[in-house]
Amino acid sequence: ELADGGETLYHVQIYTKKGTYDGHTDINTNTTLSAWEILCDANNVVGRGQYIPSPLPSNAMQRVYVGAESIQAFYVTLVDAPTVTGGLLYTNGNGNQGLVYVGNDVLQFVPGVGLITDLEGGGNSMSVVNDRIWNGVIYFML
């Protein structure tokens, strides 16, 4: 489930890669794109707005095996989402990028970055915004 800023239909894509995202945030290059594996490509995901988790369709997400002591990076994006809807919601970090934000003996969540693209201007430029905490729900099983 993800947190979004508007009650609209979204096209959600989720990617993953083994290891960290470091060095793999420029999605406009073939080298970076080839490092990521797509897990979810779901159209018409109903955004419920702020503070109400928006679920993905039950069969939309492939399972990811993450071994003990392993690191797995995830990239969640709303494809061609107009900025007026608010997009994906996040929390500003407090200098905790790269440090465990929340976790337990089994799973640890480490904040990362936000990617901002220039879709409205018709361009393909991108900027990386450091220290972003993704807002959403992570389901896992042992």
Side-chain angles (χ1 to χ4, degrees):
E1 295 180 350
L2 54 93
D4 61 87
E7 296 178 15
T8 188
L9 295 177
Y10 291 108
H11 177 184
V12 178
Q13 289 183 332
I14 302 174
Y15 297 82
T16 190
K17 68 174 287 304
K18 291 187 185 309
T20 72
Y21 64 88
D22 290 331
H24 300 280
T25 56
D26 187 355
I27 61 169
N28 291 322
T29 67
N30 288 335
T31 303
T32 295
L33 285 175
S34 65
W36 294 92
E37 173 189 352
I38 192 160
L39 296 174
C40 173
D41 190 5
N43 283 300
N44 299 318
V45 174
V46 178
R48 294 186 176 170
Q50 193 171 6
Y51 305 117
I52 305 171
S54 300
L56 297 172
S58 61
N59 62 347
M61 182 86 172
Q62 297 177 38
R63 290 184 182 197
V64 178
Y65 174 78
V66 181
E69 306 297 319
S70 295
I71 296 173
Q72 192 79 22
F74 294 89
Y75 168 51
V76 180
T77 186
L78 302 179
V79 179
D80 296 332
T83 55
V84 295
T85 64
L88 285 174
L89 298 181
Y90 59 86
T91 301
N92 290 322
N94 294 319
N96 50 9
Q97 180 176 329
L99 302 174
V100 175
Y101 177 71
V102 67
N104 57 32
D105 292 341
V106 178
L107 179 70
Q108 296 178 339
F109 177 80
V110 177
V113 299
L115 301 179
I116 300 172
T117 56
D118 176 24
L119 297 175
E120 285 191 353
N124 62 358
S125 65
M126 178 186 320
S127 59
V128 176
V129 183
N130 290 313
D131 208 11
R132 293 291 186 253
I133 301 167
W134 175 74
N135 293 171
V137 178
I138 299 171
Y139 293 97
F140 70 96
M141 50 189 215
L142 302 177

